[in-house]
Amino acid sequence: MDYPLIGACQCGQVTYELHDKPLMVFACHCTECQKLSTSPFSITAVVDTAKIEFSGQLKSWERVAESGNRNCAMFCPNCGNKICHFNPDAPETVKLKLKPVDLSSADIFEPQAHVWVSEKLDWYHIPDDVKVFPKQPG
């Protein structure tokens, strides 16, 4: 795979360059991610902050997770696409929400685990060979 991988929001105002593969990719089935993605789950790629560069204007929104951790969401103010989120108290990683523009590299965003399956929609079936966690793994 050739790096950097380039990604963008729907309108193209926000872009990123990813300089290395994600540390982890997971599908989250919590009700907050169902709202975010307007689908049964949301895909998140955990990325080393030093390995990604963002360009463009971003807006933010913050909430407190069930764990007590702060969850700061960054999104494009034009098209509304969520770009990433992060915990301000753990700045070494960012949780990327956008896949790359080049679909030939999209396989690096295949989930390695499914989390918050306690809130999973009954009709979605998780593949047998993937790790599952009832809530957020420790």
Side-chain angles (χ1 to χ4, degrees):
M1 176 135 344
D2 293 330
Y3 290 94
L5 296 179
I6 308 299
C9 63
Q10 262 186 306
C11 73
Q13 189 272 134
V14 176
T15 60
Y16 72 80
E17 288 187 12
L18 180 61
H19 298 280
D20 202 357
K21 68 179 184 174
L23 302 170
M24 171 67 157
V25 178
F26 60 88
C28 183
H29 295 264
C30 78
T31 55
E32 289 298 320
C33 281
Q34 290 174 23
K35 288 179 202 176
L36 160 72
S37 65
T38 66
S39 68
F41 55 86
S42 171
I43 304 293
T44 299
V46 180
V47 175
D48 179 336
T49 304
K51 305 290 183 178
I52 192 163
E53 296 175 63
F54 295 99
S55 298
Q57 180 185 3
L58 292 164
K59 288 259 189 177
S60 66
W61 176 79
E62 189 173 314
R63 71 177 177 86
V64 177
E66 182 180 284
S67 65
N69 290 333
R70 292 178 359 191
N71 186 6
C72 184
M74 304 300 289
F75 61 94
C76 174
N78 290 342
C79 67
N81 273 159
K82 186 169 180 185
I83 309 304
C84 65
H85 61 272
F86 65 95
N87 178 347
D89 300 321
E92 61 278 358
T93 60
V94 63
K95 293 158 185 91
L96 183 64
K97 302 307 287 183
L98 292 175
K99 66 180 183 62
V101 174
D102 177 6
L103 295 180
S104 68
S105 58
D107 62 336
I108 70 163
F109 291 94
E110 182 178 349
Q112 299 158 319
H114 285 248
V115 301
W116 281 92
V117 296
S118 60
E119 296 182 2
K120 179 182 83 58
L121 298 178
D122 290 338
W123 54 262
Y124 180 76
H125 300 285
I126 297 172
D128 292 332
D129 61 339
V130 179
K131 293 178 195 170
V132 295
F133 298 90
K135 292 195 173 196
Q136 193 71 24

